[in-house]
Amino acid sequence: MIRAGRTPAARAAAAGRTPAAGRLRRRAVAAALPAAAALLAATASPAEAVGYRYWSFWQTDGDAWAYAQQGPSVSRPLDGSVEGWRFSVSEDSSEKAARPRGDRDFAEICADTPAEKGTKRIALVLDFGTADDAPGGETPPRPRTACARVPEGATSAEALAEVAAPLRYGSDGLLCAIDGFPASGCGEAVAGDGRKDTGEGTDGAGAGGDAPGASSGNGNGNGNGNGGGDGNGDGGGDGGPSVGVLAGVGAVVLLGAAAAWQARRRS
């Protein structure tokens, strides 16, 4: 039933649904959307890349370096093998890990270490990285080579310990320091990519494996992978929307609601 004095037009005017009020609301929302879109674009920008500062483990593959596919405590190199270690900051070790620099010729490295029965000789290339790779306040030693003579059944980790003590390991088995370098830190995340010299272009080898904390691929801990890390991987999230994206979406909703409310008041 329609009460006297309240025509449909009157009721629409009382509820703020007149054509003029509708036009005001649409204009207000249209004016708010560009600002909301700009805010959404700003808050949805990708997060800064993250790299890791750590020792990577390499073995020769013919004439080039290849990212090791077993951890040093599992790998048992044969006599005459050449293995390398490189300290660096790598944003994505599966593609950009820095290779060891310098000579990798077994005959030259082990020229002064004669063979002995019941032992094997492993040539090691130890590259302590660049000043950009080093933690703050530390200066990396110069790269060097060494020849480890170890029992025939020795692992890569035992060969390294023979010529580059002291070694420092983390509680999760990750190799943190070779020959005492660095003095602190262990596979920590670093904003951006602090490494400028990748060693690429000299060796011509691709790199495989995973970042520290991965469960397979290159290893510098006690077993396959880069030790028993905590799964830092490549530093990425769980694939869900970032806080910035959610904040931007919320801003769009709030601005639109505020514009509609203001239009209703003015009508």
Side-chain angles (χ1 to χ4, degrees), residues 18-70:
T18 64
R23 286 194 296 272
L24 283 173
R25 282 195 297 272
R26 287 193 294 272
R27 289 172 184 171
V29 172
L33 284 177
L39 179 60
L40 177 60
T43 56
S45 60
E48 186 176 5
V50 174
Y52 295 90
R53 180 181 285 119
Y54 71 107
W55 280 99
S56 57
F57 177 38
W58 301 78
Q59 295 170 325
T60 52
D61 180 11
D63 295 328
W65 287 117
Y67 212 54
Q69 298 303 303
Q70 287 184 313

Side-chain angles (χ1 to χ4, degrees), residues 253-265:
V253 174
L254 289 174
L255 283 172
W261 180 73
Q262 287 288 348
R264 183 179 291 275
R265 287 190 60 195

Side-chain angles (χ1 to χ4, degrees), residues 107-257:
E108 183 173 340
I109 295 173
C110 288
D112 298 329
T113 306
E116 290 185 2
K117 186 177 181 179
T119 68
K120 61 184 177 183
R121 294 173 298 165
I122 310 300
L124 293 167
V125 178
L126 308 176
D127 188 341
F128 297 84
T130 69
D132 290 327
D133 296 321
E138 295 198 51
T139 301
R142 293 179 61 83
R144 67 181 180 89
T145 60
C147 185
R149 185 168 55 205
V150 292
E152 290 179 337
T155 64
S156 296
E158 291 168 330
L160 179 64
E162 183 71 19
V163 298
L167 304 180
R168 177 169 59 85
Y169 286 90
S171 60
D172 55 6
L174 188 69
L175 178 61
C176 306
I178 294 176
D179 210 359
F181 179 84
S184 62
C186 191
E188 65 271 22
V190 180
D193 188 348
R195 171 178 45 79
K196 290 184 173 63
D197 179 8
T198 66
E200 294 177 8
T202 2
D203 302 312
D210 302 297
S215 60
S216 63
N218 174 267
N220 57 19
N222 298 324
N224 292 338
N226 268 327
D230 57 4
N232 287 336
D234 61 5
D238 60 4
S242 68
V243 173
V245 171
L246 295 175
V249 172
V252 171
V253 174
L254 289 174
L255 283 172

